Amino acid sequence: WIFLGGCASSFARGVAPIVPDKIPAFVINFDEPAATRYNEVFHYFRDDIIAMENSIMYSIAPFYRSTFMNNTDKIAQNNPEAFEAMQALATITGLPVWQTLMVNSLVDFYSYCVSIVGVMVDGRVIHGRNHDVDNPALFQPILHRIFIQSGGAVIGEAASHAGFIGFYTAMRYNSYSVTYNTRMSPHTNTNHILENIQREWTPGVQTVAQAIESVVLQHTSMDMAAQYLETKALVTPAYLILANAAAPIAAKDQVVGMVITRDPSALNRTDVLHYPESDANKWYLVQGNKDYWQTDDSNYAAAVERMEALGRPKLNLETLVTEVLNCTGVVGPYTSYSASMSAQTKTLSVYFTPL
């Protein structure tokens, strides 16, 4: 491994610790119909959403555009939440509904990420991720924080991009956090994009973002969330990464982190992280965009090297970003933001990259 190099480390720079970026925040009431639920966000980011949508739309082959045009009615029937939200976005922006539906689906196909779960020396479990997209300059202006309201109470938070529904970086307070990584190899999404697109309107199938939304709204434990994410039919192959916020940790064998590797219709494998005292050498999980156990993944290798160089005694919400996620080989030109979070302390810190 040869990745050790540049980092945004406050230790290396000799300056004060970094401060998370302030991003617009909204309370989204999930008891409200999808047709009106996101309207405040859509109005606030309207011009930036239009710029993002049009830029992405013109990079998509006409064949795929026509596929969405010709199947909008099927999405309305089989995924009414997405249809109603994107219909509202179309009304606010003046864009066609088929386009808002198509762009909303594309994050499942071309976002590239690194996710990490680690256990600090005091036993607290923290969770970090880089969110990578093809054109970060289009996505950074629409990044915002969602306070997730359900049943009359705020139950969690998410980092989200305006114009898209569902969650990719989220937590349910005092329960768990969850992130999504695209699974590119060996199930390379771009090689199966038409199959994935057609699952958008297949009854009983969810996008990954909506599956994560479902578990955060419905399930109060990581075990329940994992069971749903291991079994629910999904549009695309995926990695679902979870961190357990249950405190205090009750037993040495307690599962505190998971990486669920999914094929669209079935579970491929699940990797688990136990309370470190049951395995002193294993105190973190890392996942990139490939099946690293059978395919070389330079992002995964760089993240592992950085975690080892950092060491468990120095791990915290800030160093996970400065000493790992924002370092050479882990961060890249496509990184839109880095995030670190703890559902136990109700902390979600977001940093635009590069720091």
Side-chain angles (χ1 to χ4, degrees), residues 51-346:
M52 176 273 296
E53 290 255 351
N54 286 334
S55 178
I56 290 176
M57 197 269 289
Y58 288 116
S59 68
I60 296 171
F63 172 75
Y64 296 121
R65 291 186 233 164
S66 64
T67 301
F68 271 88
M69 288 183 200
N70 296 332
N71 289 280
T72 299
D73 58 334
K74 294 181 182 178
I75 298 176
Q77 180 179 356
N78 294 304
N79 191 349
E81 180 189 20
F83 180 81
E84 291 169 13
M86 293 301 103
Q87 187 177 49
L89 178 60
T91 299
I92 290 168
T93 59
L95 299 169
V97 176
W98 68 264
Q99 179 178 326
T100 60
L101 284 165
M102 179 184 67
V103 173
N104 176 67
S105 75
L106 290 181
V107 178
D108 273 0
F109 306 136
Y110 70 61
S111 62
Y112 320 105
C113 308
V114 173
S115 291
I116 299 172
V117 175
V119 185
M120 295 166 51
V121 290
D122 64 2
R124 284 185 294 162
V125 184
I126 62 175
H127 194 163
R129 68 110 90 260
N130 280 349
H131 190 274
D132 298 353
V133 291
D134 280 343
N135 192 338
L138 290 173
F139 284 84
Q140 288 180 337
I142 57 177
L143 182 65
H144 60 285
R145 183 185 307 271
I146 289 177
F147 291 101
I148 304 163
Q149 182 175 321
S150 178
V154 174
I155 62 169
E157 290 179 46
S160 186
H161 290 107
F164 299 86
I165 66 169
F167 305 142
Y168 296 93
T169 305
M171 63 180 173
R172 181 164 179 133
Y173 294 150
N174 300 316
S175 299
Y176 55 86
S177 54
V178 56
T179 57
Y180 157 63
N181 290 13
T182 301
R183 187 178 176 212
M184 297 299 295
S185 178
H187 297 276
T188 304
N189 286 341
T190 50
N191 289 348
H192 302 92
I193 191 167
L194 183 58
E195 295 176 16
N196 295 335
I197 286 174
Q198 290 172 336
R199 280 190 286 267
E200 288 273 345
W201 44 82
T202 301
V205 178
Q206 280 188 307
T207 67
V208 178
Q210 288 179 276
I212 293 174
E213 176 189 303
S214 293
V215 300
V216 172
L217 292 175
Q218 299 171 16
H219 298 303
T220 57
S221 74
M222 188 183 75
D223 289 343
M224 296 168 64
Q227 183 177 2
Y228 186 97
L229 295 173
E230 286 179 330
T231 57
K232 182 64 180 177
L234 301 175
V235 168
T236 62
Y239 304 104
L240 290 312
I241 301 91
L242 296 103
N244 197 348
I249 293 176
K252 290 184 178 181
D253 291 333
Q254 181 170 344
V255 175
V256 296
M258 304 176 71
V259 176
I260 299 169
T261 300
R262 281 296 310 271
D263 298 324
S265 60
L267 175 68
N268 183 280
R269 64 183 262 164
T270 297
D271 296 276
V272 298
L273 176 65
H274 292 275
Y275 185 49
E277 272 58 22
S278 66
D279 183 354
N281 295 319
K282 190 174 183 183
W283 50 277
Y284 64 86
L285 288 173
V286 173
Q287 184 62 55
N289 295 115
K290 300 178 181 179
D291 293 357
Y292 63 84
W293 52 92
Q294 59 184 9
T295 304
D296 289 339
D297 185 344
S298 61
N299 291 98
Y300 168 83
V304 167
E305 185 172 11
R306 282 295 176 183
M307 288 293 286
E308 291 293 330
L310 174 64
R312 190 181 172 205
K314 293 182 180 179
L315 177 68
N316 58 48
L317 286 169
E318 180 183 334
T319 58
L320 183 57
V321 175
T322 59
E323 309 301 311
V324 183
L325 291 171
N326 216 251
C327 294
T328 302
V330 186
V331 73
Y334 299 114
T335 305
S336 173
Y337 69 86
S338 299
S340 59
M341 55 186 168
S342 166
Q344 182 179 339
T345 61
K346 301 181 180 180

